[in-house]
Amino acid sequence: RGFLLCHANFLREVPFDPLLPWIFMGEEINLSVRAWTAGWDLFSPTRNVMAHYYVRRTRPKFWETVNRFFKKAVHNAVTALVLKRVKHLLGYPESTAGLVQPSSLLYKLDEYGMGRERPAWAYFKMVGIDFVAKKIQRPKWCHEGRRPPIYDELGIVPEKSA
């Protein structure tokens, strides 16, 4: 899906990470967990209201424009590099600070990392993602239209909405 509707304050509190150029895979989860840990609540429509149209032969996709910008095929190399930063931010066990190379990929994590209002582990529990076990579990609360149980567990009172 991948669309965002929010107040402009969101961009001050959860700025886009300029160190993730041309990121495609990992962008939504990275921004979602950063927003939630900064205290923003996330909502999704109960039906699709928009979609990507990838099958358009006459219009380039963004990854094709990257290659035109650099005059050679670099998209996969850039993606592989910045994906290391995304995996570190998300807490992949194989992407701890000591394992990420080059270490410059971890530059300015204090500005473009997790928020300080809520713990990241609680977000991943809420959405059913386990990076250590490499498993996902469908969150019942979401499909049943209920408030996430983690809010009650942590005593979270929703204040802001993205």
Side-chain angles (χ1 to χ4, degrees):
R1 296 184 184 178
F3 72 94
L4 180 65
L5 178 65
C6 58
H7 191 277
N9 284 341
F10 177 86
L11 296 175
R12 285 193 232 3
E13 295 178 28
V14 188
F16 288 106
D17 187 342
L19 301 170
L20 295 177
W22 295 291
I23 189 67
F24 183 68
M25 291 175 46
E27 175 190 19
E28 288 92 348
I29 191 170
N30 178 49
L31 193 57
S32 298
V33 69
R34 289 181 55 228
W36 195 83
T37 59
W40 289 83
D41 294 314
L42 309 171
F43 300 90
S44 178
T46 56
R47 61 184 177 86
N48 288 333
V49 295
M50 64 178 59
H52 296 285
Y53 184 57
Y54 289 111
V55 185
R56 53 181 198 269
R57 298 184 193 281
T58 59
R59 301 276 188 229
K61 284 60 141 188
F62 97 94
W63 54 84
E64 295 166 341
T65 61
V66 174
N67 293 337
R68 284 196 304 205
F69 178 79
F70 285 105
K71 309 282 190 262
K72 61 180 181 175
V74 299
H75 178 260
N76 289 346
V78 171
T79 297
L81 191 63
V82 298
L83 210 49
K84 293 179 184 182
R85 180 178 175 89
V86 171
K87 286 182 172 185
H88 173 76
L89 285 165
L90 297 177
Y92 276 68
E94 64 273 17
S95 299
T96 58
L99 297 175
V100 174
Q101 294 298 320
S103 60
S104 58
L105 288 170
L106 305 181
Y107 181 66
K108 293 205 175 205
L109 286 182
D110 55 324
E111 288 181 50
Y112 303 108
M114 298 300 167
R116 292 175 176 82
E117 300 292 321
R118 301 171 178 164
W121 66 262
Y123 174 85
F124 296 121
K125 180 179 178 181
M126 176 177 72
V127 299
I129 298 175
D130 182 341
F131 290 113
V132 176
K134 305 281 191 266
K135 293 183 178 184
I136 59 170
Q137 182 177 0
R138 187 176 180 166
K140 285 183 180 180
W141 62 266
C142 182
H143 298 280
E144 294 170 357
R146 293 184 293 113
R147 174 182 155 106
I150 196 74
Y151 278 64
D152 296 328
E153 291 174 35
L154 297 177
I156 295 172
V157 177
E159 296 177 24
K160 301 180 261 189
S161 299

